[in-house]
Amino acid sequence: FPLIAQVVPTWLEENQHHSGVGKVQQIIYLATGSGKPRNKKLDPLCDSTTVLAQIMKIFIETVYSNVKVEVVDSGIGVFQYDLNVKFVKNVLLPKLEQYRQSIVSS
């Protein structure tokens, strides 16, 4: 949380200086996931960062009511490069493009 408490206000301040077109909804995507446990008996979801991201979402949206936070879960295998690339290409980039298109068309 100390990092979030520093990064978000700085990001918002920078956006104010660079947004030349009206007021745009600020959005933060928090990518979450979990590693594959070495112990096969353990549930991979116990290692997930999703719950922490949900807490961060509550914190950010409470403190910065003008910011929307979306938690995007990449699933199991967060430490595998190829799975991360697929997640970015197939999930995260389409979300960013959809949001960008909504801004352009409004």
Side-chain angles (χ1 to χ4, degrees):
F1 282 89
L3 184 60
I4 291 292
Q6 293 295 314
V7 171
V8 173
T10 302
W11 173 69
L12 289 170
E13 186 177 315
E14 284 298 314
N15 280 345
Q16 282 182 345
H17 295 296
H18 297 291
S19 64
V21 186
K23 206 152 174 88
V24 176
Q25 170 70 60
Q26 304 296 316
I27 187 165
I28 296 174
Y29 292 97
L30 294 176
T32 67
S34 63
K36 188 175 179 185
R38 292 180 187 173
N39 183 341
K40 304 263 188 227
K41 295 177 185 175
L42 295 177
D43 181 0
L45 298 178
C46 291
D47 189 34
S48 176
T49 57
T50 301
V51 173
L52 177 60
Q54 291 168 342
I55 294 168
M56 291 168 65
K57 172 184 168 70
I58 292 167
F59 172 77
I60 294 169
E61 290 181 343
T62 300
V63 175
Y64 305 99
S65 59
N66 59 326
V67 176
K68 178 184 175 205
V69 178
E70 186 172 335
V71 177
V72 186
D73 187 22
S74 67
I76 300 169
V78 74
F79 299 116
Q80 294 178 339
Y81 178 80
D82 58 332
L83 294 179
N84 279 318
V85 170
K86 284 180 186 177
F87 167 71
V88 170
K89 288 175 75 176
N90 298 333
V91 178
L92 200 52
L93 287 178
K95 285 185 175 295
L96 293 170
E97 180 60 21
Q98 180 182 17
Y99 180 64
R100 188 184 71 79
Q101 286 297 326
S102 72
I103 291 171
V104 170
S105 64
S106 62

